[in-house]
Amino acid sequence: RRILSFIFNWFNNKEKIIKNKNNSIKDTFVYDDKYLIFFQNIILKIVKLFKNKKVYFITFNYDYSTEKPIRLLSKEKKIKLLLWYKESIYTQEQLNYYHHQLQEIKNFHKIAVYNNLMKNYFIKWGRINKNKINVIGMPRSFFSRNNVTKQNNKNNKFNILFYYFERDRGIINKTKKDKQLNNWDEIRDGVLDSLYKLAKNNSKLNISVKSKAYDLFSNFAKRVMDRNIENLNFYYEGSGHDFLKSNDIVISFNSTTTYEAMLAEKNILIPIFKKYNNIKYNKRILSVPKAIVVKSQKELETKIQYYFKYNKFNKRRLNIYHKYIVKYFGDYRKTQKLAKKFLEIN
């Protein structure tokens, strides 16, 4: 992707890129013709190198800006392009919005998605033949299942993991003003405030806050970080997946990490505070069992203290988890087999 981005930026510099304000129907960019020709020539030369052998290209999204030339070649039937769609977990609000951007979905030879929800979405809005779409499950679920066994903890600490998230994750905000009005700030800062108080008062708690990037942290989060509480640690580099195994409780929201934690048989808490428990926000939240939802900071703190006292995972909870795992991760037990079948090209 870095190479593709370098080529893209070389030809399509800021002066040449024309951003389209209405991003619902047309491309975000007007591409430089030299870029399209250059990139397509490279792709066709790669195909020639293999002479009479069949050559297929694979991508993980249907609208990467840098891959426009490849999609055009696929549309013209000069190459075969596969889509292994990795963005298969959306809120209802996102699904209602993104279907306007599916104009190029027909240009793929075959498509793989995680779940039936996304397959039916592509069939309805992208008008794709159902036989063209393979439901293969969530590939990363294999690693989640390997995180079931808790690591031995020499320090006898109780480990809590909070997957920090974007302030408008799952919400469609088109302007900065929208973002100020529609966000999860009270949840993010409220959870951190509770974790800060718990860490400060109980040295046996070991709390990790994992974000995709430092810039995602709110000003409040950065102030908490600067207080340097020994048993409250912030991470913003590397994969968040590696944190699962050693933790007793996972706190997450609107994220695949929720369902990965279910597969890893973790006690999970989903903060949906009272302010957000209404029709306006329901379509902006991924489906989760009511049994793991906390509606206030006080309830969050109470549940954490309960799990700290009785550090056990109730296996009966797996029956509750299963419905939600299947909804978003599909037939995760057969993912490797189904993925292999998808890649058997004809």
Side-chain angles (χ1 to χ4, degrees), residues 167-183:
R167 68 186 303 218
D168 61 347
R169 189 176 184 89
I171 302 175
I172 298 297
N173 282 324
K174 297 179 182 179
T175 66
K176 288 184 178 180
K177 186 177 180 180
D178 288 342
K179 204 166 189 173
Q180 291 299 323
L181 295 171
N182 304 299
N183 57 64

Side-chain angles (χ1 to χ4, degrees), residues 281-333:
Y281 284 100
N282 284 347
K283 63 183 179 180
R284 297 168 169 177
I285 299 173
L286 295 173
S287 298
V288 293
K290 290 182 180 179
I292 63 175
V293 172
V294 290
K295 297 179 181 179
S296 66
Q297 282 187 242
K298 184 177 180 180
E299 187 179 359
L300 173 67
E301 292 164 23
T302 301
K303 285 284 179 73
I304 290 173
Q305 288 166 342
Y306 171 83
Y307 285 128
F308 172 70
K309 186 176 181 180
Y310 307 101
N311 187 13
K312 291 182 180 179
F313 177 78
N314 187 343
K315 288 282 186 179
R316 285 182 295 180
R317 184 147 286 186
L318 293 175
N319 296 325
I320 301 173
Y321 285 173
H322 182 72
K323 169 186 171 182
Y324 298 89
I325 296 170
V326 170
K327 178 177 181 177
Y328 292 113
F329 283 6
D331 195 350
Y332 58 90
R333 292 186 179 93

Side-chain angles (χ1 to χ4, degrees), residues 153-317:
N153 198 324
K154 296 178 181 179
N155 297 322
N156 197 30
K157 293 276 189 176
F158 184 79
N159 298 312
I160 302 169
L161 172 62
F162 174 34
Y163 281 114
Y164 199 80
F165 53 94
E166 297 91 331
R167 68 186 303 218
D168 61 347
R169 189 176 184 89
I171 302 175
I172 298 297
N173 282 324
K174 297 179 182 179
T175 66
K176 288 184 178 180
K177 186 177 180 180
D178 288 342
K179 204 166 189 173
Q180 291 299 323
L181 295 171
N182 304 299
N183 57 64
W184 311 112
D185 287 353
E186 287 188 29
I187 292 179
R188 296 195 308 170
D189 290 348
V191 170
L192 267 181
D193 181 55
S194 291
L195 293 177
Y196 169 73
K197 288 188 288 187
L198 289 166
K200 195 175 176 183
N201 295 323
N202 189 343
S203 61
K204 289 187 177 180
L205 295 179
N206 184 47
I207 301 173
S208 300
V209 181
K210 176 65 178 74
S211 173
K212 289 182 179 179
Y214 177 80
D215 291 343
L216 290 182
F217 287 122
S218 68
N219 290 332
F220 175 78
K222 290 173 184 175
R223 288 197 298 271
V224 173
M225 202 183 306
D226 289 341
R227 291 169 189 168
N228 293 318
I229 303 297
E230 187 178 354
N231 56 335
L232 176 59
N233 298 292
F234 291 77
Y235 304 90
Y236 42 87
E237 290 181 356
S239 171
H241 201 270
D242 298 332
F243 286 76
L244 260 183
K245 193 165 190 174
S246 60
N247 280 279
D248 302 285
I249 296 179
V250 173
I251 303 170
S252 66
F253 179 82
N254 263 10
S255 170
T256 57
T257 55
T258 300
Y259 311 99
E260 289 177 292
M262 289 181 183
L263 278 173
E265 299 183 11
K266 301 295 180 183
N267 288 311
I268 305 167
L269 297 174
I270 308 295
I272 306 176
F273 294 164
K274 192 173 180 180
K275 169 187 172 179
Y276 300 97
N277 192 14
N278 55 53
I279 295 173
K280 176 183 175 182
Y281 284 100
N282 284 347
K283 63 183 179 180
R284 297 168 169 177
I285 299 173
L286 295 173
S287 298
V288 293
K290 290 182 180 179
I292 63 175
V293 172
V294 290
K295 297 179 181 179
S296 66
Q297 282 187 242
K298 184 177 180 180
E299 187 179 359
L300 173 67
E301 292 164 23
T302 301
K303 285 284 179 73
I304 290 173
Q305 288 166 342
Y306 171 83
Y307 285 128
F308 172 70
K309 186 176 181 180
Y310 307 101
N311 187 13
K312 291 182 180 179
F313 177 78
N314 187 343
K315 288 282 186 179
R316 285 182 295 180
R317 184 147 286 186

